[in-house]
Each structure stands twice: as structure tokens, then as C-alpha cells.
Amino acid sequence: QVQLVESGGELVQAGGSLRISCAASGHTFSRLAMGWFRQAPGLEREFVAAISWSGGTTRYADSVKGRFTISRDNAKNTLYLQMNSLKPEDTAVYYCAADLNSASFTTRADHYDYWGQGTQVTVSS
């Protein structure tokens, strides 16, 4: 069983920056591929970014490429998402997810095994 707890979401102005975190427990974090997803009201959950178990490979949705950076600290069992140049359309609940198949490294939400409860990010115009 993997427990994931997101934190750091808040209200920011457009153009601002924010870093959200996801603390993991219950499994060897360095053996997990990890991802960030988001869900805005009335919309489906969408992929944001993913990172391999080692942190050596990352993948981003086109909508956030060049603005967001996913990273991980395996010594601290923590996943991060640095968000820069935020836009109102980035407003959503952000979820971290863990994939027990460390070799998977997928953008598909249904391939992830565990999810956090989410953290709200609101970008005002």
C-alpha cells in the first residue's frame, strides 16, 4: 500500500509561480514511477507530467511544457511540481499518482496504482 499526500496548493496570480509537493510512504519510493495529473471542474482528469523512478526521464503535456518541471527526491520520498508562468486555465485540483511498474512511465491515468487526495491550485487573472 502506498500513501500519497499532496501539499502546497494555493491561490496565485497569473504569471506567478508555485511548487507543489507529494510525500510518499508505504513503499520504496525509488521503485515507483510517478506522475502529476489535474482535474478542473466539469472536465476529465488530465495528464500533466511524469517522471521515471530515477528521475532521469520526464514527460510533459503540451499545455505545460516549458512552464512546469517535475522532479523527485528519492532520499526524501517526495515528488515535486514546479509551476511557472501560471495561467488561469491551470486552475485545477492537482493529484500525484504512483505506478508500481517502475518501467511503465505512462501518461495514462488508468495505469497508475495509487493516488493522493489532491491539492487545489487556483490562478487568478
Side-chain angles (χ1 to χ4, degrees):
Q1 193 80 1
V2 178
Q3 292 79 44
L4 302 170
V5 179
E6 301 95 335
S7 62
E10 61 181 59
L11 172 65
V12 296
Q13 289 189 336
S17 297
L18 187 66
R19 189 179 78 163
I20 57 177
S21 303
C22 172
S25 61
H27 195 280
T28 303
F29 183 67
S30 61
R31 294 181 181 176
L32 300 170
M34 299 294 296
W36 284 103
F37 290 77
R38 67 186 182 186
Q39 188 167 18
L43 299 179
E44 292 187 353
R45 190 170 299 190
E46 66 172 354
F47 169 75
V48 175
I51 189 167
S52 62
W53 64 271
S54 68
T57 306
T58 57
R59 184 175 295 173
Y60 297 93
D62 288 342
S63 59
V64 306
K65 201 171 295 183
R67 300 187 298 122
F68 289 12
T69 302
I70 187 172
S71 63
R72 65 191 296 162
D73 186 336
N74 286 346
K76 295 182 178 180
N77 294 341
T78 303
L79 176 74
Y80 303 100
L81 185 67
Q82 176 68 44
M83 302 181 287
N84 298 327
S85 302
L86 282 161
K87 305 175 181 179
E89 51 263 44
D90 293 319
T91 295
V93 177
Y94 283 72
Y95 299 90
C96 68
D99 187 345
L100 292 176
N101 182 355
S102 62
S104 178
F105 191 56
T106 179
T107 63
R108 291 183 52 174
D110 60 351
H111 282 200
Y112 285 83
D113 301 290
Y114 295 97
W115 294 81
Q117 84 291 345
T119 187
Q120 176 71 48
V121 174
T122 303
V123 184
S124 63
S125 57

